[in-house]
Amino acid sequence: MKKIVLGLCALAVGLAAVVWQLNTRDEPDLSAAAPALNATPELLERGAYLARAGNCAACHTTRGGTPYAGGRGIDTPFGMVYSSNLTPDVRTGIGSWSSAEFWRALHNGRSKDGRLLYPAFPYPSYTTVTRADSDALYAYLHSLPATAQPATPHALRWPFNQQAALAVWRALYFTPASFQPESTHSAEWNRGAYLVRGLGHCGACHTARNALGATDDRLDLAGGLIPVQNWYAPSLTSAQEASVHDWPLEDAVRLLQTGQAPQGTVLGPMAEVVQQSTQYLTPQDLTAMATYLKALPQTVVESAHAVPTTPRNVERGAKLYEQHCAQCHGAQGQGVAGAYPPLAGNRAVTMASTANLVHVVRNGGFALATAGNPRPFGMPPFVLVLNDADIAAVLTHIRGTWGNQAAGVTELEVNRLR
């Protein structure tokens, strides 16, 4: 028995050593004196631009709060994570951080004091950000007014609130990396890949996650349900969902810049990304991102199975559509060009996941106002008009009429997606 116990102890020590080694891979030497950054106007301008590209303010700013002062709650399946203060306040922000410590946070997911950071901060994507870009971000953040705002403690459930559990997660799912340009592709494609995979962290939403919240590289950008929010970030590799592979390049650029293109309009979380981030990127960077997205390997998404329905339910859906939808979207689902999107042949309507349709019918669909689309049309919420059975009936009608051949929607499905 003593030998068994000693053996188990030795095994535990060995596993702990492996986890430790995996969590300290490729870490910078913080003991080496880093050269002081020359915060030139050009460097600060570049850092501000990169902060826009990474949409940093979206998570690190509370509603109505000081930009970048942190404190915004990010709800996860494991509890609430609160963003940190990125202003140069010495006590509560990053005022005492060196540029090397800031680089380590992006590249290795480790705080100044050595704590492992939770991947709600998307360092699994930011790990590929170059040191030069990290330094520009650091210089810009240090140029902001210092705001004293203490960190809000995370509210994660056990064991997810333990550093040991996070260390095991990182050993399984995180490897520090650097961006390596691919010689078989153009400089424009490589720039797009750097932005999409890194600062843009598109895969954080558009890639499915496992039960422990890790993304699967084999399904990169192939679509995924955003945890807790229950919005579906559609596949960027499937023509049945949100691929721009067959779009003219200028239309893909227009979607990222204005939130609207002849083939579709962004809503929900993606509208926030366009509003706060991509609309401010240069035409060159938007073209690079569109070039990369158009070149993604294409996949076929399996269609959802048909849902049995009754003639009475079919009639109910058609009547609800006539009462509440036809005046904008047309009797034949044809829509109105430049105002209300067509529903006939619309892949946002027919894709397998119905999560976004339920959200839009319940809570409304509001395209964002951008410089390129200053007066967008919107759709009112029907949460006080239609119950779950009504929503299921009208969506089933829309998904199976005018040539649409998608599976119907059940009342249970609508209720589950609340």
Side-chain angles (χ1 to χ4, degrees), residues 53-281:
N55 201 14
C56 305
C59 287
H60 289 273
T61 308
T62 58
R63 181 167 296 182
T66 303
Y68 298 101
R72 178 169 177 175
I74 302 168
D75 205 357
T76 79
F78 315 105
M80 189 73 75
V81 176
Y82 291 90
S83 60
S84 56
N85 185 345
L86 296 184
T87 73
D89 183 69
V90 173
R91 188 173 61 86
T92 65
I94 61 170
S96 65
W97 290 45
S98 69
S99 59
E101 289 165 339
F102 184 80
W103 158 248
R104 184 174 71 166
L106 265 64
H107 186 63
N108 300 90
R110 193 183 290 274
S111 186
K112 172 184 170 64
D113 61 6
R115 285 181 304 107
L116 302 177
L117 298 173
Y118 288 100
F121 172 61
Y123 60 83
S125 297
Y126 290 169
T127 184
T128 61
V129 172
T130 65
R131 177 63 189 268
D133 280 352
S134 173
D135 286 349
L137 275 167
Y138 172 85
Y140 167 68
L141 293 172
H142 271 250
S143 74
L144 298 174
T147 300
Q149 181 163 302
T152 303
H154 302 315
L156 293 165
R157 298 189 303 277
W158 190 90
F160 308 111
N161 59 352
Q162 302 297 309
Q163 285 279 292
L166 181 55
V168 172
W169 185 93
R170 287 165 51 101
L172 291 171
Y173 301 119
F174 172 64
T175 302
S178 59
F179 180 76
Q180 301 297 330
E182 297 187 21
S183 59
T184 55
H185 291 285
S186 66
E188 191 171 56
W189 181 96
N190 276 292
R191 175 62 177 172
Y194 174 74
L195 290 168
V196 169
R197 297 174 185 170
L199 274 177
H201 59 286
C202 304
C205 289
H206 287 277
T207 303
R209 295 180 180 272
N210 63 20
L212 293 177
T215 56
D216 188 341
D217 290 341
R218 295 170 299 178
L219 300 174
D220 191 26
L221 302 179
L225 194 67
I226 301 175
V228 181
Q229 296 185 40
N230 280 344
W231 278 91
Y232 176 69
S235 171
L236 301 179
T237 66
S238 170
Q240 300 159 284
E241 296 197 0
S243 169
V244 296
H245 178 72
D246 294 328
W247 288 25
L249 181 64
E250 58 270 21
D251 287 350
V253 171
R254 180 180 171 187
L255 187 73
L256 292 172
Q257 189 173 50
T258 70
Q260 192 170 53
Q263 299 87 342
T265 301
V266 300
L267 297 172
M270 186 61 196
E272 296 180 18
V273 173
V274 175
Q275 187 169 47
Q276 300 182 56
S277 177
T278 59
Q279 72 162 317
Y280 298 102
L281 301 188

Side-chain angles (χ1 to χ4, degrees), residues 255-323:
L255 187 73
L256 292 172
Q257 189 173 50
T258 70
Q260 192 170 53
Q263 299 87 342
T265 301
V266 300
L267 297 172
M270 186 61 196
E272 296 180 18
V273 173
V274 175
Q275 187 169 47
Q276 300 182 56
S277 177
T278 59
Q279 72 162 317
Y280 298 102
L281 301 188
T282 64
Q284 294 80 6
D285 276 350
L286 290 174
T287 300
M289 293 175 71
T291 298
Y292 174 75
L293 293 172
K294 280 178 59 63
L296 288 172
Q298 297 299 287
T299 58
V300 177
V301 177
E302 184 178 350
S303 300
H305 297 295
V307 175
T309 188
T310 63
R312 181 179 179 182
N313 206 42
V314 170
E315 182 181 352
R316 179 185 187 182
K319 185 175 181 179
L320 287 168
Y321 181 84
E322 181 182 358
Q323 290 175 337

